[in-house]
């Protein structure tokens, strides 16, 4: 992300030049939700950036008890940018959370954990920089309806691109008949691609707030889209995901539509992922490149892959942290769950992109999705990869065949692990296997995180009957 200010003096000069009235301080909770508190510009000064902003930590899921609820937001002035949507000039500033009781950065603050991970990387002497390039896919719908009560549970999403609208009578328009249809949305031109203009508006807004984009296109599913944003260092890349999701949802909202990063909103069509590209650098040199290696990857990169795949079942508790995540990572929808690696092969969990050279050598992990808290997802991938480098872990593979064609017996015969098939499985893996995370995640954080996920995702979903269960069990 481009920086608009570099220090506190520049911040206040920037605010004056842009006639800023409000300062919006934002921070991220454990599940990845962006929160904010807004101050009149006249009520803050340079000292505010040192003393911080007080707030109630007990009102956030999984954070502080009510008897120890006072916390401090520490603004990161270099993250500031103008909000493109507010009626009055408003500047947004990312914040980290400070624990007044322990006198340290809060151990449950995802952004603080990400900063701790970057310091750990530098102290390890393995590398000094980690680059992350997430690919965030999303859906744009015309409407969504949700019912969740004791006697009724249903949802309905709609988009004019949906093939279910082939015979619909439109009140203010007409039925064009031009639709991508199931799994047919990859790169068609208008009028089949009906989202060109709204994606372009999203791109221009992202550029306006400092994100560098390079591509936008329709994705495979009906109503699905993707915008390519340039990679960045770990913390900044996670910041960019928060901005990206905010911009996409707000532009859709202001156009009378609704955008969602939910992994699997449509049954039988492709879901939305967050493929993550990664590389490690030291003293300006890409540690993942070796011209003679498989796919031009170095042994360091191979060990990094080995660490991720070895620990993937617990990593998934952070990269795929919703019950809906596991409805996406099933064979046949370009969302792999088979833990091996390959060149250009999108059926493998780790893909080595085509045509990489010295400065572009990287790996792509394909199973994460957008329900992930980006800070925690990137940290867990980094720490798993570093664990692989330290232990010289050799991944299973490479395997260049279509892995979706393999039967379960063939997968077992080849000795390939798979991701868990449920969030419960990932959380149980995290409970058993978390030593690689301990340098940056405390026991308290890991314990409270998995408890929060059980309480808000696993148990509520397991307790609810579904429409399909009525269809298959009602006449038993």
């Amino acid at each position: 992300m481009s920086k608009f200010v570099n220090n506190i003096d520049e911040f206040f000069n920037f605010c004056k030049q842009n006639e800023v009235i409000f300062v919006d301080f934002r921070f991220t909770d454990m599940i990845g939700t962006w929160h904010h508190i807004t101050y009149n510009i006249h009520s803050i000064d340079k000292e505010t950036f040192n003393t911080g902003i007080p707030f109630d930590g007990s009102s956030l899921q999984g954070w502080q008890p009510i008897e120890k609820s006072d916390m401090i937001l520490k603004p990161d002035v270099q993250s500031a940018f103008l909000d493109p949507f507010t009626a009055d000039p408003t500047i947004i500033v990312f914040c980290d959370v400070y624990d007044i009781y322990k006198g340290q950065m809060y151990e449950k603050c995802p952004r603080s954990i990400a900063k701790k991970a970057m310091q750990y990387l530098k102290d390890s002497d393995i590398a000094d920089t980690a680059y992350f390039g997430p690919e965030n896919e999303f859906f744009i719908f015309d409407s969504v309806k949700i019912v969740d009560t004791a006697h009724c549970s249903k949802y309905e999403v709609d988009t004019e691109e949906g093939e279910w609208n082939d015979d619909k009578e439109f009140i203010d328009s007409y039925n064009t008949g031009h639709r991508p249809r199931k799994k047919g949305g990859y790169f068609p031109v208008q009028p089949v691609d009906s989202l060109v203009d709204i994606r372009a508006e999203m791109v221009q807004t992202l550029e306006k707030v400092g994100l560098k984009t390079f591509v936008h296109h329709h994705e495979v599913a009906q109503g699905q889209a993707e915008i390519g944003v340039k990679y960045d260092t770990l913390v900044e890349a996670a910041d960019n995901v928060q901005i990206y999701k905010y911009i996409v949802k707000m532009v859709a909202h202001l156009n009378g539509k609704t955008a969602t990063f939910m992994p699997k909103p449509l049954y039988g069509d492709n879901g939305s992922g967050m493929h993550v590209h990664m590389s490690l650098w030291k003293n300006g040199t890409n540690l993942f490149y070796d011209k003679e290696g498989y796919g031009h990857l170095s042994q360091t990169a191979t060990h990094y892959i080995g660490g991720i795949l070895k620990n993937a079942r617990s990593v998934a508790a952070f990269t795929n942290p919703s019950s809906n995540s596991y409805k996406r990572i099933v064979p046949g929808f370009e969302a792999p769950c088979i833990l091996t690696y390959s060149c250009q092969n999108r059926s493998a969990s780790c893909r080595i992109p085509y045509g990489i050279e010295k400065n572009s050598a990287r790996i792509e992990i394909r199973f994460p999705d957008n329900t992930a808290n980006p800070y925690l997802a990137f940290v867990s991938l980094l720490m798993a990869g570093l664990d692989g480098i330290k232990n010289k872990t050799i991944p299973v593979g490479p395997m260049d065949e279509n892995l979706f064609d393999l039967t379960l017996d063939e997968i077992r015969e080849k000795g390939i692990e798979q991701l868990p098939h449920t969030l419960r499985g990932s959380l149980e893996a995290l409970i058993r296997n978390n030593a690689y995370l301990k340098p940056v995640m405390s026991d308290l954080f890991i314990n409270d995180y998995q408890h929060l996920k059980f309480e808000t995702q696993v148990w509520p979903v397991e307790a609810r009957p579904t429409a399909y269960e009525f269809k298959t069990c009602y006449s038993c």
Side-chain angles (χ1 to χ4, degrees):
M1 176 182 174
S2 299
K3 286 183 169 57
F4 295 97
V5 300
N6 295 298
N7 54 54
I8 296 174
D9 287 333
E10 287 187 14
F11 173 84
F12 283 101
N13 288 335
F14 184 78
C15 289
K16 185 176 181 179
Q17 291 167 8
N18 290 278
E19 301 180 334
V20 166
I21 298 174
F22 297 107
V23 182
D24 206 46
F25 296 104
R26 299 199 178 184
F27 64 101
T28 302
D29 68 12
M30 284 171 66
I31 63 174
T33 302
W34 218 9
H35 299 272
H36 74 135
I37 182 170
T38 309
Y39 276 68
N40 191 303
I41 186 71
H42 300 308
S43 64
I44 67 169
D45 53 27
K46 293 181 181 181
E47 190 60 24
T48 304
F49 286 84
N50 296 318
T51 59
I53 308 295
F55 76 102
D56 176 9
S58 69
S59 296
L60 298 164
Q61 288 183 320
W63 276 20
Q64 289 296 96
I66 196 165
E67 70 274 14
K68 291 185 177 180
S69 57
D70 287 341
M71 307 204 81
I72 299 292
L73 296 177
K74 290 283 190 176
D76 184 347
V77 70
Q78 293 187 18
S79 68
F81 65 95
L82 294 175
D83 192 323
F85 303 114
T86 52
D88 300 301
T90 301
I91 192 165
I92 294 171
V93 183
F94 279 82
C95 297
D96 303 314
V97 180
Y98 186 79
D99 185 342
I100 65 171
Y101 305 99
K102 295 186 178 180
Q104 62 183 30
M105 297 311 295
Y106 190 40
E107 60 192 300
K108 297 184 189 179
C109 171
R111 198 169 188 265
S112 297
I113 291 172
K115 288 185 174 181
K116 190 175 180 180
M118 288 312 302
Q119 188 59 52
Y120 175 80
L121 175 67
K122 294 174 184 177
D123 293 342
S124 72
D125 204 35
I126 293 173
D128 52 40
T129 306
Y131 286 117
F132 284 73
E135 299 177 22
N136 303 91
E137 299 165 336
F138 56 94
F139 284 86
I140 301 174
F141 293 124
D142 297 322
S143 68
V144 56
K145 301 175 184 177
I146 306 166
V147 177
D148 178 32
T149 64
H151 76 293
C152 181
S153 179
K154 65 179 182 180
Y155 70 90
E156 181 181 352
V157 295
D158 196 19
T159 168
E160 287 191 19
E161 289 193 353
E163 60 186 4
W164 54 85
N165 282 319
D166 278 347
D167 64 348
K168 182 175 179 178
E169 295 286 342
F170 290 91
I171 297 174
D172 299 320
S173 183
Y174 67 99
N175 199 323
T176 69
H178 295 296
R179 294 187 171 87
R181 308 193 181 282
K182 187 184 296 182
K183 293 181 129 184
Y186 198 63
F187 287 11
V189 299
Q190 307 97 306
V192 175
D193 179 359
S194 69
L195 305 175
V196 173
D197 290 338
I198 194 169
R199 289 197 311 269
E201 184 178 343
M202 291 169 178
V203 165
Q204 292 178 73
T205 309
L206 288 166
E207 291 276 346
K208 185 177 180 180
V209 300
L211 271 66
K212 297 179 180 178
T213 65
F214 57 89
V215 67
H216 74 84
H217 61 86
H218 202 292
E219 259 296 346
V220 175
Q222 300 158 100
Q224 192 181 29
E226 182 181 332
I227 298 170
V229 174
K230 187 179 179 181
Y231 65 88
D232 213 326
T233 52
L234 189 152
V235 176
E236 288 71 21
D239 287 348
N240 290 347
V241 171
Q242 297 296 71
I243 298 170
Y244 179 109
K245 294 171 82 170
Y246 175 63
I247 297 296
V248 165
K249 286 187 277 191
M250 279 300 299
V251 170
H253 178 70
L254 294 174
N255 278 275
K257 295 183 181 291
T258 174
T260 178
F261 290 84
M262 183 178 180
K264 193 76 168 183
L266 297 179
Y267 171 69
D269 215 339
N270 277 34
S272 290
M274 181 179 70
H275 309 152
V276 182
H277 295 249
M278 286 173 279
S279 62
L280 295 182
W281 292 62
K282 187 175 184 180
N283 298 326
T285 299
N286 188 348
L287 302 181
F288 278 13
Y289 179 71
D290 182 350
K291 187 176 181 180
E292 305 303 320
Y294 175 77
H296 293 180
L297 283 191
S298 67
Q299 193 70 9
T300 297
T302 304
H303 291 153
Y304 189 90
I305 294 169
I308 290 176
L309 299 184
K310 172 193 167 188
N311 295 295
R313 293 177 64 84
S314 64
V315 167
F318 296 104
T319 58
N320 304 78
S322 70
S323 60
N324 189 253
S325 297
Y326 298 85
K327 293 176 172 59
R328 167 184 163 262
I329 43 179
V330 293
F333 296 95
E334 295 189 34
C337 58
I338 301 171
L339 299 175
T340 186
Y341 73 108
S342 179
C343 277
Q344 297 102 52
N345 184 356
R346 285 175 167 80
S347 68
S349 289
C350 178
R351 171 178 169 265
I352 304 168
Y354 169 75
I356 60 177
E357 297 296 340
K358 184 175 182 180
N359 290 330
S360 62
R362 65 195 187 278
I363 66 167
E364 177 193 359
I365 299 297
R366 292 181 57 79
F367 55 80
D369 67 58
N370 295 292
T371 57
N373 181 319
Y375 303 98
L376 301 180
F378 298 165
V379 166
S380 64
L381 288 166
L382 174 68
M383 297 303 291
L386 294 179
D387 180 68
I389 292 174
K390 291 177 180 178
N391 293 296
K392 295 183 168 48
T393 307
I394 303 298
V396 174
M399 294 188 174
D400 297 327
E401 60 198 287
N402 184 353
L403 300 169
F404 292 149
D405 289 339
L406 298 179
T407 66
L408 288 176
D409 287 339
E410 288 172 329
I411 292 171
R412 295 188 189 101
E413 287 171 6
K414 292 177 180 291
I416 313 174
E417 287 275 352
Q418 293 189 75
L419 285 172
H421 300 298
T422 64
L423 177 58
R424 173 184 282 276
S426 293
L427 293 170
E428 290 176 347
L430 176 64
I431 293 169
R432 293 190 302 269
N433 173 33
N434 56 49
Y436 67 97
L437 298 167
K438 291 295 184 66
V440 298
M441 293 183 185
S442 68
D443 288 334
L444 175 66
F445 171 79
I446 293 171
N447 185 62
D448 286 2
Y449 176 85
Q450 58 91 6
H451 273 296
L452 179 62
K453 287 297 178 180
F454 269 107
E455 291 167 3
T456 61
Q457 285 283 324
V458 177
W459 296 332
V461 171
E462 290 179 347
R464 280 165 166 76
T466 66
Y468 188 73
E469 288 172 331
F470 269 83
K471 187 175 181 179
T472 58
C473 302
Y474 189 79
S475 297
C476 62

